[in-house]
Amino acid sequence: MTLAAIDFAAADPEALAAHEGRIAAFADDKLDPAARRLDRLAKGALARAVASPAWEKLKPGEGIELAFPAGLKARAVHLIRMPRTAAPDDLRKAGVLIGAALGEEGALVAAASLRKPAPLVEGLALRAYRFAHRAEAPKPLGPVTIASNDPDATREACAPVLAVAEAVHFARDLVNEPANILTTTEFASRLEALRKTGLEVEVLDEAAMERLGMRALLAVGQGSESPSQLVVMRWHGGGDEAPLALVGKGVVFDTGGISIKPAAGMEDMIMDMGGAAVVAGTMQALAARKAKANVVGLVGLVENMPDGRAQRPGDVVRSMKGDTIEVINTDAEGRLVLADVLWYAQENFQPAAVIDLATLTGAIIIALGDKKAGVFANDDALADAFLKAAGAVGEGAWRMPLGEAYDKQLKSRMADMKNVGGRMAGSVTAAQFLQRFIKEGTPWMHLDIAGVTLYSKDSDHAPKGASGWGVRALDALVAARFENKSGG
Ligand code: BES
Ligand code: MN
Ligand code: ZN
């Protein structure tokens, strides 16, 4: 769903008295001016809240809610603890709190005392998300007014975070959508619609991929009624430097294929296109904020189904690179898709660096749970820059190893490699498999996002469901490392 309407207005004491929705106000040991005004109207209720023992226990960004306060029209005042020295994380946390409580009635955020409210607006926009399920249309979220002393400056300062939040919502919508609706072709046409943002979008069909020799990718999709698609999105905001390539796994549904998955929980496999969704969301964000960088996003869209035409365990397929793969387990399909898309990306764009995102292994969930994505890289500087960017935006990530010793687990008697490496270190052998499709000297990073893509409970910045993890970290990485080097 699109962003809740967020408006910027001048701080106005009259509006505090008249507002009928929710109000967010700020205090530390003392009430800020807007909170003081609310306190006078509410006959000292806010001052009592700040003097209470509960207040002392609050961390920055946490708050107390006063419901239906006497003397005010508002249905609630959310009094949030915010020291002058608050970090961006604290402000984001406060925004998440306001976004989580937001309902149809809307909210007024009395933000005049906050020096840099953008992270708060970011947290609010990220959290104020509802997926429009077909059975039951969600109640619209009421309008939000951010009141400050210089609304034009605040609006300008918040524009980039709102653009990125909208892109996060786009990525979440794709992940939340069931697989009967978001087929490969529907996915491709939603990406074609990104042309309106200024992206160049090209779709390669099965015949085109066949001509390129992408038998690894095509073998995964051959059991499905939905044709496989390769979508290439280009943002040319830089000069003539080589682009960053973002590559996404887009398995619209993963039954496992002939190596079929158990029934319990299989419905979660609607999220197996999460990597592709995050690539698409990042491309939208870069276009929306007119990033001064060259970035190309490539997603392989397939459906992994059991069928009379489906690939079998034991099949040997030839990848676009030319290496042959013995398919031991048809449920290790993501790496087959990525092998060809990674190779295509390098052959066509000679990228300065390649980053792939994939809900690749259950093993990464065993290793890191749902708090952090696995980061595999052949380039320390790239990995470090990404970990820093992810940390700054509050998206969890943790470096994992690569190494020759793990690579041996992929040895096959029948082909150049097997598509599985046995029980041990499943996420690492999957990454090793991908690395075989990275050219010598190309900086590359693989993000295994199986644990952080879909949540059964509310997560840090999102309600239950898709998180959109990675859009903000990648956007921040592009800003920090790939933007405006040759002055585009
Ligand atoms: N899409 C799955 C990985 C996954 C599991 C994502 C759980 C999200 C939640 C992937 O295609 C897969 O099935 N991987 C197998 C690999 C195995 C057969 C080597 C796995 O992790 O079990
Ligand atoms: Mn699978
Ligand atoms: Zn999969």
Side-chain angles (χ1 to χ4, degrees):
M1 218 170 85
T2 47
L3 285 183
I6 297 182
D7 233 10
F8 297 88
D12 170 8
E14 297 310 314
L16 292 173
H19 186 76
E20 291 182 0
R22 307 174 61 88
I23 299 179
F26 301 90
D28 188 15
D29 298 331
K30 287 206 189 95
L31 301 171
D32 82 358
R36 234 166 20 241
R37 159 89 184 156
L38 288 165
D39 184 59
R40 277 195 298 276
L41 292 165
K43 304 186 176 52
L46 282 73
R48 278 164 53 215
V50 168
S52 73
W55 184 261
E56 262 174 62
K57 297 200 188 96
L58 296 180
K59 298 198 186 84
E62 297 177 348
I64 286 183
E65 188 173 295
L66 308 170
F68 302 103
L72 291 172
K73 295 250 165 58
R75 62 184 292 158
V77 172
H78 219 143
L79 188 60
I80 298 176
R81 183 157 198 171
M82 197 56 74
R84 284 210 151 274
T85 55
D89 275 350
D90 302 327
L91 286 156
R92 209 181 291 120
K93 199 198 283 176
V96 166
L97 206 64
I98 301 166
L102 189 64
E104 279 175 284
E105 69 283 359
L108 171 64
V109 183
S113 73
L114 307 179
R115 268 174 300 169
K116 291 191 169 165
L120 179 137
V121 173
E122 178 185 21
L124 199 167
L126 286 170
R127 185 59 180 77
Y129 168 84
R130 306 279 182 282
F131 179 63
H133 284 286
R134 265 151 201 77
E136 173 197 5
K139 299 231 169 80
L141 295 174
V144 177
T145 304
I146 310 291
S148 67
N149 293 328
D150 186 347
D152 289 334
T154 310
R155 180 185 296 111
E156 206 181 303
C158 292
V161 294
L162 288 174
V164 177
E166 192 162 8
V168 171
H169 288 203
F170 174 58
R172 288 179 189 163
D173 280 351
L174 291 169
V175 171
N176 282 328
E177 203 72 272
N180 61 325
I181 310 250
L182 193 75
T183 58
T184 53
T185 45
E186 169 64 17
F187 200 147
S189 50
R190 290 194 191 186
L191 300 188
E192 285 185 289
L194 290 176
R195 284 182 188 132
K196 67 175 188 294
T197 69
L199 291 171
E200 267 174 50
V201 184
E202 186 192 353
V203 181
L204 279 73
D205 63 9
E206 289 188 342
M209 288 189 274
E210 197 76 64
R211 283 193 294 275
L212 289 161
M214 296 184 152
R215 284 303 318 160
L217 181 153
L218 289 167
V220 175
Q222 75 193 23
S224 170
E225 295 295 324
S226 292
S228 300
Q229 313 260 280
L230 171 60
V231 183
V232 182
M233 296 159 273
R234 300 183 71 177
W235 174 247
H236 201 289
D240 53 13
E241 73 273 17
L244 165 67
L246 301 177
V247 171
K249 169 179 172 181
V251 177
V252 295
F253 194 77
D254 181 13
T255 63
I258 297 299
S259 313
I260 198 162
K261 287 180 180 297
M266 203 202 276
E267 67 279 6
D268 282 352
M269 285 303 125
I270 63 166
M271 61 123 129
D272 213 17
M273 31 53 69
V278 171
V279 169
T282 305
M283 295 307 293
Q284 178 185 312
L286 296 174
R289 65 171 188 79
K290 305 232 175 315
K292 292 187 170 61
N294 296 335
V295 183
V296 53
L298 305 100
V299 297
L301 306 177
V302 304
E303 186 180 35
N304 190 19
M305 296 289 266
D307 180 75
R309 278 169 309 191
Q311 69 173 334
R312 291 152 290 257
D315 284 5
V316 173
V317 296
R318 184 180 299 276
S319 65
M320 179 183 175
K321 179 186 173 194
D323 287 358
T324 54
I325 304 162
E326 183 187 7
V327 179
I328 299 292
N329 189 321
T330 65
D331 198 11
E333 84 297 341
R335 62 197 77 181
L336 299 174
V337 173
L338 290 173
D340 280 341
V341 183
L342 286 168
W343 196 254
Y344 179 84
Q346 293 165 93
E347 287 281 284
N348 278 266
F349 300 106
Q350 291 78 42
V354 177
I355 301 174
D356 76 74
L357 292 99
T359 50
L360 201 63
T361 66
I364 201 69
I365 312 178
I366 305 299
L368 301 176
D370 62 5
K371 305 294 183 282
K372 291 179 192 289
V375 178
F376 300 83
N378 65 4
D379 185 291
D380 292 343
L382 180 60
D384 289 347
F386 180 75
L387 290 170
K388 192 168 164 209
V393 304
E395 292 183 331
W398 193 258
R399 185 90 184 260
M400 298 286 288
L402 289 165
E404 186 62 35
Y406 296 102
D407 203 67
K408 294 208 176 79
Q409 291 175 233
L410 297 171
K411 212 168 153 45
S412 162
R413 287 187 305 118
M414 301 297 296
D416 292 316
M417 71 199 87
K418 298 190 291 193
N419 76 330
V420 295
R423 261 177 55 80
M424 287 197 289
S427 304
V428 188
T429 53
Q432 287 298 151
F433 182 98
L434 299 180
Q435 191 173 21
R436 288 174 176 234
F437 297 89
I438 299 298
K439 295 184 180 182
E440 190 71 43
T442 301
W444 160 73
M445 177 168 67
H446 155 60
L447 302 173
D448 193 336
I449 60 171
V452 295
T453 295
L454 189 70
Y455 285 84
S456 54
K457 293 204 213 82
D458 292 3
S459 58
D460 280 357
H461 303 121
K464 157 183 186 320
S467 66
W469 183 100
V471 171
R472 288 183 307 123
L474 288 170
D475 176 68
L477 176 73
V478 169
R481 209 177 140 86
F482 293 93
E483 246 174 283
N484 206 17
K485 273 192 280 194
S486 62

